[in-house]
């Protein structure tokens, strides 16, 4: 806890003024200055304590661990933390004092909690069919400013860069001859600040959706920025994202190099492979909110970039709202259809086929996404953590078991099996098959044709309900559980 | 000069109209007193006996509930195609009224069904094709009465079914409306709640980036060839068939 030097009350960081403010006497202090004085005070008091790590590398925090899901959040002061930001439970939080490794730097919050609540509410309004529980003030207020750990990579390429190109030279009969060239240059490129979140709690899809952060505004780390906020600790190794971020840096450099006309003249597309020079840890500002569904068995996350205010949220569909609104809309469409169109059995069948194909494509995509999500295929952070767990197990258990684990992992790394996918998307398939049968049979009697077309349309509508269910799976996740977390329970 | 030209055209048109076999004497066999629709049989090709004509007229009567109904057989076709003849004949006999004509064109050896008005909504082009497809074998066997009788009976089934299909249309429209509404709402929601990942370019903009390089040197390393046969690759533009202007339609079959 940082104390106001003027009156002794607690200080909190205000994102709007970028200062530590005292709520009692309205004094304002620069974060770095407070740390210096506080540091001296602390030294005076705790001189007898034995620390085997130098004070330059660590800082004191109070950690709150959720007994429900095992997630851990840290603050610099005693707060009345009453709920967990990752599983939404208000279970007892285990309080603990500890020393935490200092990150290399921090991007302070710039947006206030109120601004982000508003931005999130706006998004919910736009979503229209969002469950009304989600936008209740008492729920939205639970949004919490958390400094998320991010890996910040630097890459460089110094030295010879060789690329291949070719130029058409002549035609001989049915063959065209090309001359191949090697283009080399001495490159000196630096790309600093390709980032990726380093917390397994923070899903990659969400973190990528609220990016980018403006790294140029980073500050040297001071624990004082944390007053009034929380921090998550990094649990994903920096090598997890090296390759992914290297590709970004490489693309940027290649693009720059390609501006040299020599490359276009020889049809060469430079492909620069960068070397990582450092991976630093930064704390980035993110507002985080977890909302449980009505049944309480699944959870949706909403995140807001604490620097830019960009929102990303998982919003499920409230079935009742959706059906009511669709009913009103269909009455309007029904009237228009009767006024403007002469319906024929062929048209009915055609529309049914068109929409069942759309349904089929959307469902195919969504089912694959759900599969990847439930098996955590799209989150490298979680995968890396599981890999580490397996490797750990391998050291401990015998070979037979290893093979099983390895097989499991191999399965997970692959995409969803085709057969399994088909099982999930049979509804629009039925509709299409029915339609094709009628089309082929082409019964002379209109009535038979109509009945067939109607069956096909009903199946298409049925498949649409499937799509909504899929959305609700996609926008919610299983409640995080202790056993699902990496082996850091003993830490 | 221009006026003269026009006059000649009109004369030619009228002349053509007079020698047109369509303008043969019409015989009304029956007129439905409720609907005002008529039964007309013109057996110019002499395919039916007197008794057959009477019998056919009897079975055609009930079709006047929905529209005019005609039988026409010809041995000479001034229009070249059966479909064109049937259309002309129908419009000159019944105008835009609802109805159907069954044509046996002996010169082309073709049967054709043409409908217009309300009848065309039920006896559509594809329906007409289905019926002629079902009955052309009789014509091949010179059983012209059976051929026509069967065709009228199938037309009647379809027209009767058309009456039943009316509520089907409302059900279909309602279901289509539900389907479109669900889909529209679904699409709107998907778009409104999309969490778009920051692009590589957006991310890169935030990086501290510097890049310098020396003047590239170029060295030839070899040569390769690609198979690419010389061909006149002129693409042909698609031709689009124009048309329209006439209402109604039908379908036919050779025999
Ligand atoms: Zn104060
Ligand atoms: Zn929890």
């Amino acid at each position: 806890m940082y104390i106001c030097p003027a009156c002794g009350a607690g200080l909190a960081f205000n994102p709007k003024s970028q200062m530590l403010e005292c709520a009692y006497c309205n004094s304002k202090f620069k974060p770095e200055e407070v740390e210096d004085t506080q540091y001296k005070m602390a030294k005076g008091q705790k001189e007898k304590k034995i620390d085997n790590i130098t004070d330059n590398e660590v800082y004191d925090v109070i950690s709150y661990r959720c007994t429900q899901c095992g997630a851990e959040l840290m603050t610099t002061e005693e707060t009345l933390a009453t709920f967990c930001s990752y599983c939404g439970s208000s279970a007892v939080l285990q309080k603990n004092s500890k020393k935490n490794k200092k990150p290399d730097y921090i991007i302070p919050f710039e947006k206030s909690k109120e601004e982000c609540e508003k931005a999130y509410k706006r998004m919910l309004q736009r979503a229209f069919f969002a469950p009304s529980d989600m936008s209740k003030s008492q729920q939205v207020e639970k949004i919490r400013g958390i400094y998320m750990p991010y890996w910040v990579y630097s890459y460089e390429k110094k030295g010879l860069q060789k690329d291949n190109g070719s130029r058409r030279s002549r035609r001989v009969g049915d063959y065209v001859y090309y001359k191949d060239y090697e283009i080399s240059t001495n490159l000196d490129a630096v790309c600093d600040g390709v980032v990726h979140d380093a917390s397994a709690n923070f899903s990659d899809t969400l973190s990528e959706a609220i990016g980018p952060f403006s790294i140029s505004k980073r500050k040297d780390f001071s624990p004082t920025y944390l007053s009034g906020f929380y921090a998550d600790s990094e649990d994903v190794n920096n090598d997890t994202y090296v390759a992914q971020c290297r590709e970004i840096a490489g693309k940027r450099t290649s693009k720059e190099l390609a501006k040299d006309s020599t490359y276009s003249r020889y049809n060469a597309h430079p492909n620069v492979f960068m070397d990582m020079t450092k991976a630093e840890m930064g704390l980035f500002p993110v507002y985080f909110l977890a909302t449980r569904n009505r049944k309480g068995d699944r959870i949706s996350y909403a995140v807001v970039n604490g620097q830019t205010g960009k929102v990303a949220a998982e919003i499920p569909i409230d079935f009742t709202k959706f059906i009511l609104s669709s009913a009103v809309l269909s009455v309007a469409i029904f009237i228009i259809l009767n006024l403007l169109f002469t319906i024929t059995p062929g048209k009915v069948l055609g529309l049914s086929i068109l929409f069942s194909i759309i349904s089929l494509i959307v469902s195919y995509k969504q089912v694959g996404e759900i599969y990847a999500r439930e098996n955590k295929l799209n989150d490298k952070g979680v995968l890396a953590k599981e890999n580490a767990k397996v490797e750990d197990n391998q050291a401990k258990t015998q070979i037979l078991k290893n093979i099983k684990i390895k097989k499991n992992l191999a399965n997970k790394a692959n995409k969803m099996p085709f057969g399994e996918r088909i099982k999930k998307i049979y509804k629009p398939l039925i509709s299409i098959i029915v339609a094709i049968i009628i089309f082929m049979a082409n019964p002379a009697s209109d009535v038979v044709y109509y009945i067939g077309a109607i069956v096909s349309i009903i199946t298409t509508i049925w498949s649409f309900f499937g799509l909504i269910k899929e959305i609700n799976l996609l926008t919610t996740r299983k409640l995080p559980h202790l056993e699902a977390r990496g082996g850091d329970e003993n830490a | 000069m221009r006026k003269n030209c026009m006059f000649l055209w009109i004369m030619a048109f009228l002349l053509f109209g007079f020698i047109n076999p369509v303008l043969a004497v019409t015989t009304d066999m029956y007129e439905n007193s409720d609907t005002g629709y008529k039964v007309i049989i013109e057996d110019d090709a002499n395919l039916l006996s007197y008794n057959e004509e009477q019998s056919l007229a009897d079975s055609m009567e009930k079709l006047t509930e929905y529209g005019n109904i005609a039988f026409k057989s010809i041995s000479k076709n001034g229009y070249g195609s059966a479909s064109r003849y049937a259309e002309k004949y129908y419009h000159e006999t019944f105008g835009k009224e609802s109805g159907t004509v069954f044509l046996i064109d002996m010169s082309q050896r073709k049967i054709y069904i043409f409908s217009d008005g309300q009848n065309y909504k039920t006896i559509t082009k594809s329906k007409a094709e289905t019926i002629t497809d079902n009955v052309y074998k009789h014509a091949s066997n010179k059983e012209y009465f059976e051929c026509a009788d069967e065709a009228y009976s199938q037309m009647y089934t379809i027209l009767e079914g058309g009456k039943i299909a009316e509520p089907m249309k409302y059900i279909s429209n309602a279901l289509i409306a539900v389907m479109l509404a669900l889909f529209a709402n679904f699409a709107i929601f998907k778009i409104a709640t999309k969490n778009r990942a920051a692009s590589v370019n957006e991310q890169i903009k935030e990086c501290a980036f510097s890049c310098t390089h020396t003047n590239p040197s170029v060295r030839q390393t070899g040569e390769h060839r690609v198979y690419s046969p010389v061909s006149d690759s002129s693409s042909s533009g698609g031709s689009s068939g124009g048309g329209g202007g006439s209402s109604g339609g039908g379908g036919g079959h050779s025999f």
Side-chain angles (χ1 to χ4, degrees):
Chain A
M1 161 103 92
Y2 294 96
I3 292 158
C4 170
C7 74
L11 291 172
F13 180 75
N14 181 346
K16 297 323 287 176
S17 62
Q18 294 285 303
M19 301 274 248
L20 283 166
E21 294 185 5
C22 169
Y24 286 89
C25 68
N26 288 326
S27 319
K28 291 179 184 182
F29 307 94
K30 281 190 178 161
E32 315 87 59
E33 287 170 5
V34 173
E35 195 197 357
D36 285 347
T37 49
Q38 209 85 83
Y39 177 69
K40 278 165 205 157
M41 276 170 64
K43 247 198 165 170
Q45 286 164 7
K46 292 182 190 169
E47 239 166 356
K48 282 160 214 160
K49 251 193 169 177
I50 308 146
D51 287 327
N52 42 12
I53 319 168
T54 50
D55 277 343
N56 281 336
E57 284 171 22
V58 294
Y59 63 106
D60 292 301
V61 288
I62 299 156
S63 108
Y64 291 91
R65 183 182 287 278
C66 171
T67 51
Q68 198 83 16
C69 73
E72 186 185 29
L73 281 182
M74 290 165 297
T75 65
T76 50
E77 64 228 70
E78 304 246 349
T79 53
L80 285 167
T82 53
F83 62 91
C84 168
S85 276
Y86 295 117
C87 70
S89 81
S90 30
V92 187
L93 300 172
Q94 274 173 5
K95 203 178 95 180
N96 231 322
S97 294
K98 66 178 210 180
K99 293 204 177 288
N100 204 35
K101 194 172 169 289
K102 273 188 185 176
D104 296 296
Y105 48 79
I106 189 165
I107 298 176
F109 274 94
E110 280 179 35
K111 298 282 172 192
S112 69
K113 187 167 174 268
E114 290 70 31
E115 284 175 304
C116 294
E117 282 175 16
K118 261 188 210 157
Y120 171 55
K121 276 188 171 170
R122 265 201 304 276
M123 177 154 188
L124 283 177
Q125 268 166 13
R126 242 186 307 135
F128 208 70
F129 310 118
S132 27
D133 300 5
M134 279 190 115
S135 46
K136 277 187 186 149
S137 294
Q138 70 198 72
Q139 174 56 30
V140 177
E141 273 167 14
K142 284 189 175 173
I143 202 163
R144 202 177 243 172
I146 301 174
Y147 282 105
M148 285 290 174
Y150 269 72
W151 286 116
V152 183
Y153 299 97
S154 297
Y155 297 89
E156 65 165 29
K157 168 80 184 189
K158 287 188 161 65
L160 206 57
Q161 167 70 24
K162 289 180 182 173
D163 292 286
N164 296 317
S166 68
R167 238 155 74 157
R168 190 188 159 119
S169 64
R170 63 187 193 281
R171 168 182 279 284
V172 178
D174 279 346
Y175 288 93
V176 176
Y177 282 78
Y178 293 89
K179 278 181 180 165
D180 300 325
Y181 296 95
E182 186 186 78
I183 300 152
S184 32
T185 180
N186 243 319
L187 188 63
D188 183 351
V190 177
C191 190
D192 258 349
V194 189
V195 305
H196 206 289
D197 82 271
S199 163
N201 290 327
F202 192 15
S203 99
D204 284 0
T205 20
L206 286 176
S207 82
E208 277 158 24
I210 59 165
F213 287 92
S214 167
I215 312 175
S216 52
K217 289 184 183 167
R218 63 193 173 195
K219 298 253 163 62
D220 288 333
F221 176 74
S222 156
T224 52
Y225 287 109
L226 263 60
S227 41
F229 295 93
Y230 293 79
D232 195 342
S233 56
E234 97 261 10
D235 51 8
V236 180
N237 237 321
N238 75 35
D239 50 11
T240 309
Y241 301 110
V242 172
Q244 184 181 340
C245 293
R246 169 184 290 128
E247 214 170 284
I248 294 174
K251 259 188 198 164
R252 174 75 180 97
T253 313
S254 305
K255 206 173 142 192
E256 188 67 27
L257 195 55
K259 284 181 186 164
D260 190 302
S261 60
T262 313
Y263 288 91
S264 48
R265 228 178 309 134
Y266 290 92
N267 300 310
H269 305 284
N271 185 11
V272 183
F273 187 88
M274 312 278 284
D275 304 306
M276 190 187 85
T277 48
K278 59 185 175 189
E280 289 175 311
M281 172 56 55
L283 286 181
F284 290 8
V286 175
Y287 283 98
F288 203 98
L289 177 68
T291 310
R292 286 200 187 189
N293 67 353
R294 219 167 276 167
K295 256 165 93 189
D297 59 344
R298 295 178 73 87
I299 199 159
S300 308
Y301 288 153
V303 290
V304 186
N305 185 321
Q307 188 183 28
T308 62
K310 199 172 167 196
V311 191
E314 298 164 333
I315 305 173
I317 289 178
D318 184 320
F319 217 68
T320 325
K321 271 191 187 179
F322 189 86
I323 296 300
L324 281 178
S325 144
S326 302
V328 173
L329 187 59
S330 37
V331 169
I333 296 175
F334 179 67
I335 292 167
I336 294 171
L337 280 180
N338 282 335
L339 288 178
L340 298 182
F341 295 98
T342 354
I343 202 77
T344 59
K347 280 187 201 162
V348 181
L349 206 60
L351 278 172
S352 179
I353 290 182
L354 175 69
F355 280 91
S356 44
I357 287 173
I358 293 174
S359 170
L360 187 74
I361 293 168
V362 175
S363 191
Y364 187 83
K365 226 184 120 219
Q366 287 189 159
V367 164
E369 277 170 25
I370 293 169
Y371 181 86
R373 208 5 212 283
E374 301 290 297
N375 292 290
K376 312 247 165 75
L377 296 182
N378 53 359
D379 204 299
K380 280 194 184 144
V382 178
L383 269 187
K385 230 172 136 181
E386 279 189 11
N387 264 326
K389 223 174 24 175
V390 172
E391 272 160 28
D392 204 33
N393 280 342
Q394 276 175 340
K396 287 174 195 161
T397 50
Q398 69 280 59
I399 306 157
L400 261 175
K401 218 173 177 181
N402 292 349
I403 295 165
K404 215 172 158 188
I405 295 166
K406 268 191 175 167
K407 255 190 190 164
N408 270 337
L409 215 77
N411 277 340
K412 277 189 172 181
N414 285 328
K415 273 197 163 177
M416 184 172 189
F418 187 70
E420 220 168 300
R421 242 188 221 214
I422 292 293
K423 265 188 233 157
K424 293 265 162 80
I425 56 171
Y426 65 96
K427 290 175 198 169
L429 271 181
I430 291 177
S431 168
I432 292 171
I433 290 167
V434 168
I436 288 173
I437 289 173
I438 293 157
F439 198 74
M440 303 279 271
N442 190 21
S445 159
D446 263 356
V447 180
V448 177
Y449 209 119
Y450 266 121
I451 289 172
I454 286 169
V455 168
S456 171
I457 276 219
I458 289 175
T459 326
T460 309
I461 290 172
W462 180 38
S463 80
F464 278 173
F465 289 123
L467 293 188
I468 298 165
K469 272 187 200 146
E470 284 163 21
I471 281 211
N472 283 357
L473 281 178
L474 264 180
T475 51
T476 57
R477 17 185 107 231
K478 290 177 189 157
L479 282 185
H481 278 295
L482 263 176
E483 59 268 27
R485 248 159 219 294
D488 58 353
E489 288 96 319
N490 322 321
Chain B
M1 184 65 197
R2 220 166 203 199
K3 260 192 177 162
N4 268 346
C5 210
M6 188 79 113
F7 180 70
L8 275 175
W9 271 115
I10 290 167
M11 278 305 286
F13 186 77
L14 284 176
L15 213 66
F16 188 68
F18 270 109
I19 52 160
N20 187 346
V22 161
L23 293 184
V25 191
T26 41
T27 23
D28 295 6
M29 306 285 287
Y30 170 80
E31 183 171 341
N32 188 318
S33 52
D34 292 334
T35 59
Y37 292 130
K38 291 170 195 160
V39 171
I40 290 175
I41 294 181
E42 288 175 26
D43 186 17
D44 299 358
N46 274 317
L47 304 175
L48 305 175
S49 69
Y50 177 76
N51 284 341
E52 281 174 341
E53 274 186 31
Q54 292 307 314
S55 170
L56 195 61
D58 285 345
S59 41
M60 283 161 81
E61 260 181 47
K62 55 188 178 192
L63 278 98
T64 53
E65 205 183 308
Y66 300 97
N68 295 302
I69 191 76
F71 173 88
K72 177 88 179 168
S73 72
I74 50 170
S75 42
K76 266 189 248 162
N77 186 341
Y79 290 107
S81 85
S83 60
R84 185 135 174 73
Y85 187 93
E87 187 185 341
K88 277 277 169 204
Y89 171 77
Y90 186 89
H91 285 141
E92 276 163 36
T93 318
F94 301 115
K96 291 273 172 192
E97 281 178 40
S98 170
T100 304
V101 59
F102 178 70
L103 171 77
I104 301 182
D105 181 349
M106 293 308 286
S107 69
Q108 313 259 331
R109 297 198 65 75
K110 218 173 164 180
I111 54 174
Y112 196 85
I113 293 171
F114 178 87
S115 305
D116 204 348
Q118 200 58 38
N119 265 19
Y120 183 53
K121 283 184 182 160
T122 24
I123 305 176
T124 56
K125 190 169 156 47
S126 72
K127 287 282 145 60
E129 274 161 9
T130 314
I131 295 173
T132 50
D133 202 48
N134 291 339
V135 301
Y136 79 93
K137 279 196 180 115
H138 288 298
S140 309
N141 296 338
K142 300 199 165 62
E143 302 160 352
Y144 301 108
F145 170 75
E146 286 78 4
C147 176
D149 199 47
E150 179 64 32
Y152 289 120
S153 129
Q154 288 195 11
M155 280 180 213
Y156 187 66
T157 312
I158 287 172
L159 286 167
E160 281 284 285
K163 206 202 273 168
I164 304 163
E166 202 56 29
M168 291 286 184
K169 282 185 185 175
Y170 285 106
I171 296 171
S172 300
N173 268 347
L175 286 171
I176 288 172
V178 169
M179 185 176 77
L180 291 178
L182 285 174
F183 177 76
N185 276 341
F186 178 82
I188 290 167
F189 185 85
K190 261 286 214 202
I191 292 163
T193 60
K194 180 140 185 69
N195 292 319
R196 198 182 54 82
S199 70
V200 171
N201 281 339
E202 282 176 290
Q203 261 204 59
I204 280 295
K205 255 185 231 158
E206 302 299 337
C207 297
F209 181 74
S210 72
C211 179
T212 56
H213 66 277
T214 56
N215 208 18
S217 63
V218 180
R219 186 173 64 89
Q220 194 189 334
T221 51
E223 194 180 43
H224 72 275
R225 63 177 196 174
V226 174
Y227 181 70
S228 133
V230 193
S231 67
D232 47 330
S233 58
S234 67
S235 70
S236 65
S239 75
S240 67
S246 79
S247 64
H253 205 290
S254 313
F255 62 89

